[in-house]
Amino acid sequence: MLLQSHEGYISPLPALPDVWECGEYSGLCARGGFELSVKWKDRIITDISVVSRCGHKCIIKTELNNVFDESGNSINAMYSDGILTFPTSEGETYYLKK
């Protein structure tokens, strides 16, 4: 309901209940060694942060198509058909924005 990662990509809020119009979670773990925090409003994701525990490439289904590191630098990412792919380094946090 809040996070899936078994189809080769991370899917935040794949089955959000209708009554949860606004909310947030933090610290949920996804396959590949990723820890996600997600905020949403009016059932639309507004912010995602991804902590990379292993330094693997992150593949995530989202409408947010810009990635920034902890210093605010833009990360080179590929966005196609609602899937965002970007490289990560172990222990680093990445922020996804519209």
Side-chain angles (χ1 to χ4, degrees), residues 24-46:
E24 64 183 270
Y25 65 76
S26 62
L28 293 187
C29 295
R31 290 181 190 200
F34 298 104
E35 182 180 314
L36 273 72
S37 297
V38 176
K39 294 181 183 179
W40 66 94
K41 183 177 180 182
D42 299 325
R43 302 183 48 77
I44 297 171
I45 295 174
T46 59

Side-chain angles (χ1 to χ4, degrees), residues 3 10-12 34-40 45-52 58-70 72-75 77-79 82-88 92-98:
L3 181 69
I10 300 168
S11 181
F34 298 104
E35 182 180 314
L36 273 72
S37 297
V38 176
K39 294 181 183 179
W40 66 94
I45 295 174
T46 59
D47 295 286
I48 299 175
S49 66
V50 178
V51 178
S52 177
C58 184
I59 304 170
I60 186 167
K61 184 176 183 178
T62 179
E63 292 183 14
L64 306 178
N65 57 6
N66 294 295
V67 183
F68 301 92
D69 66 13
E70 295 173 355
N73 299 313
S74 181
I75 300 297
M78 186 176 89
Y79 188 76
I83 303 291
L84 181 67
T85 305
F86 60 96
T88 71
E92 296 294 320
T93 302
Y94 300 88
Y95 301 93
L96 283 58
K97 304 285 182 187
K98 191 75 173 167

